[in-house]
Amino acid sequence: MNHQSTRRKLGDIFCFDPELTVMKLQISVLDSSAAGGWLASLCVAGFTAIAIRKIVKTEMVDAEPMAKPSSFAPIEFWTWGGIFLASFVSAIFYPTALGTTARTCLPFLLASTVLGYMVGSGLPSAVKKVLHPIICCALSADLAAVAFGYISQSGVDAVLGDYLTKVSSNPGAGDVLMGFLGSVILSFAFSMFKQRKLVKRHAAEIFISIILSSLFSLYSTALVGRLVGLEPSLTVSILPRCITVALALSIVSLFEGANSSLTAAAVVVTGLIGANFVQATLDKLRFRDPIARGIATASSAHGLGTAALSAKEPEALPFCAIAYGLTGIFGSLFCSVPVIRQSLLAIVG
């Protein structure tokens, strides 16, 4: 297995959001709005990119070829499986061997998350449409937490609390995974650099489509929330649904009364919908080139959509990465402008 394939596979794993494992999603509120909002944002970004290309009359050329990641080797399954079994048994018999339960649970929770992705990535394509590898990460970690909580009689909530502690001096498995996000984003930069000539050639459609998509996402969410009669605090909480969790939480902190837990749920649900259905939807809409496909995916489904599409279409990764970053940047900038923020609040009511 070459280093590039290994790095890209690890990148897919670490695009998994630990918030998904520990939070309880408010599905009844989010499902329909997330699905409709994701599809609308995808259409706006994709069709805008194509329209701007026609206006500026930029000829589409082929992207630099990108190698697809190889499948996981049996030795990788056996290695992580052995780590999981050994650390799980050790944590049962020595619950505070490393000083705290979070550190004791860290090895088997981390191993279960990685194993979940390995199993999910090997599922047939038809099954992945329902059970995406990102979902498998959360399910496997949750199952490990339930099993340990039952056997140790500590309860699943306590184990999930050890999964994502958000304390640097006592990190859990989720905190370790979050620590790799910087490396993942840096790996995106290498992919973008390889396609630098194509990025420069299509700069107009890339930037304009992302700006319009970001504005559309914010204002359409506010308007739909008002029309369907959602509580203003609820609507405000889901405004940054198409922006990665870390930046979305910073954005909603600008709005008084927003619920950050609901924000995280909205972002993750939107990303999961995009990760599962993005490729089929892009094909139905006849988005053929990697630029339109990459921009539409990341502008509507942030990191989870990026991981899902780039695993199957690595040539779209640079444009997913650009849209992923710029959507967060422009979304943060727009909500920081008092006039735009007040107009959103006025629409929300």
Side-chain angles (χ1 to χ4, degrees):
M1 183 189 307
N2 59 45
H3 294 297
Q4 184 180 16
S5 296
T6 303
R7 185 168 62 249
R8 188 171 293 117
K9 288 197 300 185
L10 289 174
D12 292 342
I13 294 173
F14 296 127
C15 278
F16 159 71
D17 194 333
E19 292 277 0
L20 179 60
T21 298
V22 300
M23 71 185 177
K24 298 176 181 178
L25 300 180
Q26 301 183 41
I27 299 297
S28 60
V29 177
L30 299 175
D31 270 354
S32 58
S33 61
W38 164 76
L39 180 59
S41 297
L42 181 143
C43 290
V44 168
F47 284 118
T48 300
I50 294 173
I52 296 299
R53 183 186 306 153
K54 292 179 179 179
I55 292 173
V56 299
K57 298 180 179 180
T58 303
E59 183 180 353
M60 182 64 200
V61 296
D62 292 335
E64 291 290 328
M66 304 283 287
K68 289 188 176 182
S70 58
S71 58
F72 290 100
I75 187 62
E76 293 176 291
F77 281 95
W78 286 107
T79 299
W80 282 103
I83 293 173
F84 172 76
L85 289 175
S87 57
F88 187 88
V89 173
S90 176
I92 293 294
F93 288 101
Y94 305 100
T96 57
L98 299 178
T100 66
T101 55
R103 293 178 183 174
T104 302
C105 293
L106 189 155
F108 80 80
L109 288 175
L110 180 61
S112 64
T113 305
V114 176
L115 281 171
Y117 181 82
M118 288 181 172
V119 172
S121 64
L123 294 174
S125 298
V127 178
K128 286 183 182 179
K129 293 181 179 180
V130 180
L131 195 62
H132 191 271
I134 302 298
I135 300 178
C136 291
C137 285
L139 289 178
S140 60
D142 281 333
L143 289 174
V146 169
F148 184 81
Y150 177 78
I151 296 173
S152 66
Q153 298 183 343
S154 60
V156 65
D157 288 341
V159 183
L160 289 178
D162 291 334
Y163 185 89
L164 189 64
T165 66
K166 298 184 179 180
V167 179
S168 58
S169 60
N170 186 36
D175 303 283
V176 172
L177 289 169
M178 292 286 284
F180 281 93
L181 285 177
S183 301
V184 173
I185 294 173
L186 184 61
S187 71
F188 286 169
F190 287 103
S191 298
M192 288 189 286
F193 182 77
K194 188 172 183 179
Q195 306 285 4
R196 59 192 181 280
K197 293 182 180 179
L198 199 58
V199 171
K200 184 177 179 180
R201 181 185 184 91
H202 295 273
E205 63 201 74
I206 291 173
F207 280 86
I208 293 175
S209 60
I210 293 173
I211 290 172
L212 292 180
S213 175
S214 299
L215 287 171
F216 172 82
S217 174
L218 292 170
Y219 280 99
S220 64
T221 303
L223 180 60
V224 171
R226 179 69 175 270
L227 292 176
V228 301
L230 290 180
E231 289 291 330
S233 60
L234 179 61
T235 305
V236 167
S237 300
I238 63 175
L239 283 178
R241 56 182 171 75
C242 291
I243 300 172
T244 189
V245 171
L247 292 177
L249 295 178
S250 298
I251 290 172
V252 295
S253 67
L254 300 172
F255 297 89
E256 185 177 352
N259 185 330
S260 60
S261 296
L262 186 58
T263 301
V267 172
V268 172
V269 171
T270 301
L272 286 175
I273 293 172
N276 278 284
F277 303 108
V278 66
Q279 195 171 36
T281 304
L282 292 173
D283 292 339
K284 290 288 185 181
L285 295 173
R286 297 182 179 179
F287 293 159
R288 304 299 185 193
D289 62 89
I291 296 178
R293 293 174 75 89
I295 292 174
T297 297
S299 296
S300 61
H302 48 82
L304 294 180
T306 296
L309 184 68
S310 61
K312 300 175 182 177
E313 302 177 23
E315 65 277 3
L317 175 58
F319 311 104
C320 281
I322 292 172
Y324 174 53
L326 290 180
T327 299
I329 292 172
F330 285 128
S332 301
L333 289 175
F334 292 147
C335 291
S336 298
V337 177
V339 173
I340 295 179
R341 187 166 65 250
Q342 292 302 320
S343 66
L344 288 170
L345 289 173
I347 295 173
V348 169

